[in-house]
Amino acid sequence: MPDQQTSPRRRRPLAALRSWPRWARVSSYVAAGLVLVLLAGVVTVGVLLRRPLPEWSGTAELPGLEAEVEVVRDEHGVPQVYADSLTDLVQAQGYVHAQERFFEMDVRRHATAGRLAEMFGEAALDSDRAVRTMGWRRVAERELAIVAPRTRQVLEAYADGVNAYLHQRSPSQLAVEYTVLNGSGLGYRAEDWSPVDSLAWLKAMAWDLRGNMGDEVERALTAAAVGERRAEQLWPAYPFDEHAPIVDGGAVVDGVFEPEATTGGTRLPQRPAWRGDTGWSKALRSVRDALDAVPSWLGRGDGIGSNSWVVDGEHSATGAPLLANDPHLGVSMPGVWMQMGLHCRTVSEACPMEVAGFTFSGVPGVVIGHNADIAWGFTNLGPDVADLYLERVVGDGFRYDGDVLPLRTRTETIEVRGADPVTIEVRATAHGPLLSDVDDDLAAVGKATGEELAVALAWTALQPSATADAILAMNTATDWDSFREAAASFAVPAQNLVYADRAGHIGYQAPGMVPIRKSGNDGRWPAEGWRPEDDWSGETVPFAGLPHVLDPEEGFVVTANQAVVGPDYPYALTQDWDRGYRAQRIRDLLVEEGELSVAEMLELQLDDRNPMAATLVPYLLDIDLPRGYASAGQRLLDGWDGSQSADSAAAAYYNVVWRTLLEHTFHDELPEDVWPDGGQRWFAVVSGLLREPADPWWDDVTTEDVVERRDDVLRSALLEARDELTRLQSRHPEDWSWGALHTLELRSPSLGESGIGPVEALVNRGPWEVGGGSSTVDATAWDAAAGYAVTSAPSMRMVVSLADLDDSRWINLTGVSGHPASGHYTDQTDLWARGETIAWPFSREAVEAAGEDVLRLVPGEDD
């Protein structure tokens, strides 16, 4: 049977379908290791697979503890940690994270330090060059000096816990991946964990959620191909009259956002910085290559988003608030989250934590979840916090305001497995590092011609901040005021924060470091670095001026990456919002339901109604097709309500039509690297074009003496989709299913992309047939330029009941364990794919009732 992800007609190179860069496919080293492992025999392989599995019960020594710590695990291996002091608690958290996820933590810290080539060789050099150029770890080192003393204490205690586990185990006892890698002679032993390793992970999180940097590049490359006017057509404005923002109302008065105010300051003037110069395409493509070379730990692309909403007691069947969250991130093995509870046996100022939720392995504390008093959720706010500056470099300087100013330079040496070290020169202008320098060929051309066309990166995450303080402060917040105080430190990545507490309040807060630009730069296009009016002003939007609301009159708050606030808001946050299809659907369903239970909140997370279907399907049904075979698929759409369950034949046909429509409309004029992915932005684009049957986009410029119109493209899409599904699934439309096309595969970002079947089978899992789709509430996104496979998805789902915290529910995309031989590697994935959740015990009584294994960590002697 032909490949069900990409038809032969549209097949693209395998690398284009991978979300992970070339370094992840290190076949030579992995192959050597695999041969050695397989020669040992099947029995030995089983032993090697199980050797890294941690102890879940009994007693283990943890040097540095002040007193005994208990780790109680339920049937899914979810740990709940109990201690008498804060340092003991987070030290145990580090120990448990290392037990389950150390290889993931280790690869990630190599990536964030620009040291992947040490493990994976020359294939990782592009990633290391980009990260070293930006200097992620250098920024993290500076952040360690500015975080609060208690945060530094927590980071150090967490690192002590990780290191205690490392010192007790050989590489083969830490992860089977080390056995495979060392089988080829790597001789790798893990370095001690450090507080900076934890802070550097926050840079990776900020990188994946960095806002519209990709849009800046795509706009410029699109304008180079079709002109600025037609490029603007492909980025429609946010439809405020159709999709409500998060905070509907309010105004900034004297620098302070007042939710009840109706008038405020004047919007700061902005005008585009782009002047239509298309000579920068090569430099911008080099930047795009640099962006793509960096590993994506959370995911990237139009499908990366999230849902979170909260309802008050009047809209809840429990009489108290309910809060839901399901972040939509890239799919990988293991998933990015690890569930955990952190409990001080006696809560006090000295030991203030009583919290449970979703953690990042490598970072202390809980990122999303609830404590005994409040609950919170995140979605990506997506402000424009990064700008690309076009720079004219002359020798050792760069042009600025009629002068030539000196570049800042430093050298970095990258160790490379199996090859000589590589030394790079990192150059920076006043705006930031020259990201285009990652492309050696581009820099060489510039130096030969006397003037380089380079691109610098200005990004708030390259400025040290105290985001780590915010995570810990949220864990211990007890009310709205202390929660907002914690949020004020959450600098990057800027997130939409939804809030609920056991006193019955609900709220929303926008935090983050958002630059204020001068009037020459609106952030949508690459800026001209030699023009002072295109600079940032040096100030950021004050926290007091960021939108927030407590106990809104309508009784709920919905955030799904839509516009945060209306167009009269005086500060420019961004113009590249998600266009609000998911958000409006959630709002409509909340209003329709009126009063929700925990089960109904969970059901809403699974809503799979395609928001584009109601617009497009009537046009498709108006196309006259021959009866019989040709129109059999079209007939499925008559009466279809747009729902996209995994077993839906109509959804299968519709989405193949959609993908084909995009191909016929845009591929003839747009460069391949900006072909439509088919997500929410393209819903808005095509909705506008459908009303213009003679718009030039409908015409195929490759056909001579023929001018295609809208209905020609729709007809071709309907007919070709019928043929494609016949090839991929069946001649009989009743046998088609969306899930057979739209599959979820969970792949390890390192060995899982090796290209060697047995190794990939060891660490990868799937496929699962799933429903949903791009910009549905159940947001299992796919890339129409590549195939139908899931590229991002709800990385977890949770609903917190503030009436009874033990009645809350949660589920992870994968299990808590990163060990392929563990029963908790993907034990939650089947449940996730069926839309089910598991119990989320919080009280000591509930945790003990659910507990199946208890590990006691006791003080021990240092080695």
Side-chain angles (χ1 to χ4, degrees), residues 15 34 38 143 151 241 272 298 328 343 440 490 593 661 664-665 757 810 819 839 861:
L34 175 66
L38 293 182
E143 288 183 342
T151 301
D241 56 337
L298 300 181
H328 311 148
H343 307 269
D440 287 338
F490 207 107
E593 187 63 37
L661 183 159
H664 284 294
T665 307
W810 59 358
H819 299 294
E861 297 295 328

Side-chain angles (χ1 to χ4, degrees), residues 5 108 140 318 480 573 577 598 621 753 757:
Q5 302 308 319
R108 186 188 298 146
T318 70
W480 175 244
L573 298 181
W577 307 109
V598 170
L621 293 177
E753 301 294 346

